[in-house]
Amino acid sequence: MSEKSEKNMEDLKNSTSTQYKDSKHYKKALGFWDNVMLNIGTMIGSGILLLPFVVAAYAGPYEWISWLVAGIFILPVILIYSLLVELYPVSGGMSRYPYYSHGGLVSFLASVNAIFYFSMIIIPIEAQAIVRYLNLFWPVLLEPSGYPTILGYTVEVILTVLVSVIVYFGVRSVSTSNFVITAIKLGLILLFGLTMFLFFWSPKNFTDPSIAVMPMGIPGIFAAAGASIFAYTGFRRTAIFAGESKEEIVKKLNWSEIVAWAIVLVVYVFMSVAIVGAIDWEKLAPIAAKMGINLYPGNWAGIANLSGPFAAIALGYGLIWMYYLFLLDGIISPFGVSIVEQGGLPRLFYAAAKAKYMPKAFLKVDKKTGTPIWGLIVSLIGEIVYLFVIRLYSQSVDVVVASSNILYATGPAAVIGILARKKIKSTLYSILAPVAMVSSSLIFYWATYPYTLWGTIALFLFLPLFIYYVAKGEARGDIKNGIWYLTYIIVLDIISYLGETTFGGKGILSFPWDFVVITIVALIFTYWAKISALKEEPEEAVDIEE
């Protein structure tokens, strides 16, 4: 950037960082590494136990390329959000950034997506995952069909309540619990990887022509990236907890997301190489047969269908101690993710109330603990309802996939819109924002059709609530400023329907032309978002400071 651009950006950061305030009852307790670990804790969530094997079904032994591609594609989005965290170090920022740039409609859709179709459903999913692993030790929690028994439901509810109790005691409780669990999780993963590399690793799965195949060709690499990129989206934690970070590290908060991304990228690439090289088809075949899977060399889809694949590989090598460690990790890891996600939910409800789309009660922050109390209560109720409505673990995962990655395009749109309103010219962000919009659009597309359509329908179901609050005169409408976002989502759904069959489409728009069209569309909507930005700073609701 030029010297003038740098000065303008610095002036912008200084003016915005104190512009919007949070409740005085929030506790400024988080340090730099607390934020890094909050991000890592959800980026390397319970999915690490299964996701590398799912990715292998698409990319075979080349899955490490998919993890690298996914990490590179998410980086521009992370850099955009790291700037927004620096500009607006507030609680629940993922929902508030679109409000600052484009007002009511875009912010409402971002809030709904973050609350109801991602964060709130994660906790029931993780409770179901824990019960699946507990059932291996105590086989009375699941029916043969995979549905929970009455006792299984009871355990899921108890786990969900226990997570809420930990969250109630404040952000320090959330951070400490996550720090310990994430350290254990990383230790187990690295123990497995190093053990495989040192004693059992072989290059055969990378070099044997009959095994080293791309099951779905080059498009499969990107389809695998679409699956693996879900792990990287955990970078949102700093954007949600920024308002509770210590004053002295606020200016460094943007780096917490970048550092977490770098660590996670190395871990996932390292683990994918370790896993592929450790697969001994002959040793795994009898274990797979007991699961009803016909496993043979090069059957990467079969690897993805293994139940507890890390534990299965350990068992295949006779590492009974490691087998039980990974079964234990299957209980610990989901619990850690649940604590962080549940900690974020009340802050997202608070953010929605700041934009006046939720009742004022959600603005109430407990004096003693610094937790938005009504957001926590409603979150717990919603999660228990999810447990009973979506009974099977796999169905729950499908709902999360269906919610898709609609949210991320609001980040680059917010940056480009705010800079336009402030009349600040930044060479760096005038390039980075469009690139991040392209990345966000491809991430959405990689979620595959019809999940992209389901995610859109689920999101639009909440529009009557938006209309209600606007009609009452309690919230901003800003329809003209947000119509670009509605149109953007619909256009991407159409491309998803017409797109490459690997991504669930009809094959009318095949690879690589689907990527070309998405790139052009993303650039068009970047410009539309820029000219649709609010001309003035929007006001937020006043906090309840009892």
Side-chain angles (χ1 to χ4, degrees):
M1 287 191 290
S2 68
E3 187 175 331
K4 184 177 179 181
S5 293
E6 288 179 357
K7 184 179 185 305
N8 286 339
M9 286 298 296
E10 195 59 37
D11 290 343
L12 174 63
K13 292 172 185 178
N14 292 333
S15 66
T16 56
S17 62
T18 57
Q19 183 176 0
Y20 292 105
K21 296 291 187 181
D22 287 331
S23 169
K24 67 181 181 182
H25 298 315
Y26 275 123
K27 311 301 180 186
K28 303 285 187 179
L30 298 178
F32 178 81
W33 285 104
D34 293 317
N35 278 282
V36 170
M37 291 295 272
L38 284 169
N39 289 320
I40 292 176
T42 45
M43 291 170 88
I44 303 180
S46 58
I48 185 66
L49 300 175
L50 185 61
L51 199 52
F53 300 90
V54 173
V55 172
Y58 292 96
Y62 303 98
E63 69 161 283
W64 67 271
I65 300 176
S66 296
W67 285 106
L68 197 58
V69 168
I72 291 170
F73 267 87
I74 199 70
L75 180 58
V77 182
I78 291 175
L79 292 174
I80 284 292
Y81 277 99
S82 69
L83 173 64
L84 289 168
V85 164
E86 191 174 1
L87 292 178
Y88 304 104
V90 294
S91 182
M94 290 294 292
S95 299
R96 292 166 79 174
Y97 306 145
Y99 182 72
Y100 301 152
S101 63
H102 291 87
L105 179 58
V106 179
S107 177
F108 174 82
L109 292 171
S111 297
V112 166
N113 184 286
I115 293 172
F116 294 101
Y117 292 121
F118 190 84
S119 293
M120 187 177 286
I121 203 172
I122 289 293
I123 291 91
I125 286 176
E126 302 297 1
Q128 291 170 340
I130 293 171
V131 165
R132 287 179 72 200
Y133 277 94
L134 282 175
N135 192 66
L136 296 173
F137 297 97
W138 190 25
V140 294
L141 302 178
L142 297 178
E143 299 172 359
S145 62
Y147 290 109
T149 61
I150 293 175
L151 185 58
Y153 276 125
T154 303
V155 172
E156 289 177 359
V157 171
I158 290 172
L159 288 168
T160 306
V161 172
L162 179 59
V163 166
S164 296
V165 170
I166 292 171
V167 169
Y168 168 74
F169 285 104
V171 73
R172 188 72 260 168
S173 174
V174 171
S175 177
T176 302
S177 302
N178 171 73
F179 207 106
V180 172
I181 291 173
T182 300
I184 293 171
K185 191 166 32 179
L186 283 173
L188 283 173
I189 291 167
L190 294 176
L191 174 65
F192 175 88
L194 290 173
T195 302
M196 293 302 112
F197 263 119
L198 292 174
F199 301 107
F200 305 106
W201 196 86
S202 167
K204 183 178 179 180
N205 290 330
F206 294 96
T207 58
D208 189 327
S210 64
I211 299 174
V213 296
M214 291 185 187
M216 298 184 182
I218 292 177
I221 295 290
F222 291 101
S228 59
I229 211 161
F230 183 73
Y232 289 107
T233 57
F235 76 86
R236 307 176 312 144
R237 294 319 117 204
T238 298
I240 292 174
F241 289 100
E244 292 160 275
S245 295
K246 296 174 182 177
E247 296 289 351
E248 61 266 26
I249 62 104
V250 165
K251 292 296 182 183
K252 302 177 185 176
L253 274 179
N254 56 332
W255 281 101
S256 69
E257 295 180 332
I258 298 167
V259 170
W261 166 84
I263 293 171
V264 168
L265 177 65
V266 171
V267 168
Y268 274 122
V269 172
F270 166 75
M271 285 304 297
S272 63
V273 175
I275 288 166
V276 170
I279 293 171
D280 186 315
W281 302 92
E282 187 176 335
K283 284 183 168 63
L284 280 178
I287 298 172
K290 292 179 181 178
M291 303 177 190
I293 300 168
N294 179 26
L295 193 65
Y296 52 86
N299 181 12
W300 296 102
I303 289 289
N305 289 327
L306 289 173
S307 177
F310 271 108
I313 290 175
L315 195 61
Y317 284 113
L319 303 174
I320 306 301
W321 59 273
M322 184 175 284
Y323 168 77
Y324 282 108
L325 276 179
F326 271 104
L327 291 183
L328 183 63
D329 190 41
I331 298 168
I332 294 172
S333 288
F335 197 69
V337 175
S338 295
I339 292 170
V340 179
E341 290 291 350
Q342 185 71 309
L345 261 171
R347 279 97 183 151
L348 291 170
F349 272 111
Y350 171 87
K354 290 289 283 185
K356 306 177 184 178
Y357 310 127
M358 292 284 175
K360 293 179 181 178
F362 289 110
L363 293 170
K364 182 174 175 57
V365 177
D366 186 77
K367 290 181 183 179
K368 185 178 180 181
T369 65
T371 299
I373 191 67
W374 282 106
L376 181 60
I377 292 170
V378 172
S379 297
L380 176 59
I381 294 169
E383 288 149 13
I384 292 173
V385 170
Y386 268 130
L387 281 174
F388 289 92
V389 172
I390 306 164
R391 298 174 59 203
L392 198 61
Y393 177 80
S394 61
Q395 292 173 343
S396 300
V397 173
D398 286 345
V399 172
V400 171
V401 174
S403 73
S404 171
N405 297 301
I406 299 170
L407 177 62
Y408 295 101
T410 62
V415 167
I416 208 76
I418 291 167
L419 293 181
R421 181 172 70 228
K422 299 282 189 179
K423 294 182 172 56
I424 293 176
K425 293 181 179 180
S426 166
T427 304
L428 173 60
Y429 289 101
S430 65
I431 295 172
L432 190 58
V435 171
M437 184 68 88
V438 172
S439 292
S440 300
S441 304
L442 286 169
I443 291 168
F444 179 87
Y445 177 67
W446 291 342
T448 74
Y449 187 87
Y451 298 133
T452 47
L453 178 62
W454 293 352
T456 298
I457 293 171
L459 187 62
F460 287 2
L461 284 175
F462 276 84
L463 282 175
L465 181 63
F466 170 75
I467 295 169
Y468 168 77
Y469 275 105
V470 173
K472 282 184 66 178
E474 295 184 9
R476 299 176 63 108
D478 302 310
I479 307 297
K480 187 176 75 171
N481 305 93
I483 195 68
W484 72 268
Y485 190 47
L486 288 177
T487 311
Y488 165 80
I489 295 170
I490 293 169
V491 169
L492 283 187
D493 278 330
I494 294 170
I495 296 172
S496 182
Y497 172 77
L498 298 174
E500 169 70 44
T501 55
T502 304
F503 305 109
K506 296 297 182 182
I508 297 171
L509 197 59
S510 59
F511 179 82
W513 297 111
D514 50 350
F515 282 30
V516 172
V517 170
I518 288 172
T519 299
I520 294 170
V521 165
L523 295 176
I524 291 171
F525 277 96
T526 302
Y527 177 74
W528 190 355
K530 178 180 179 180
I531 62 175
S532 298
L534 295 175
K535 304 303 180 187
E536 75 289 336
E537 308 286 346
E539 291 185 357
E540 288 189 316
V542 177
D543 286 299
I544 299 175
E545 306 286 20
E546 295 177 358

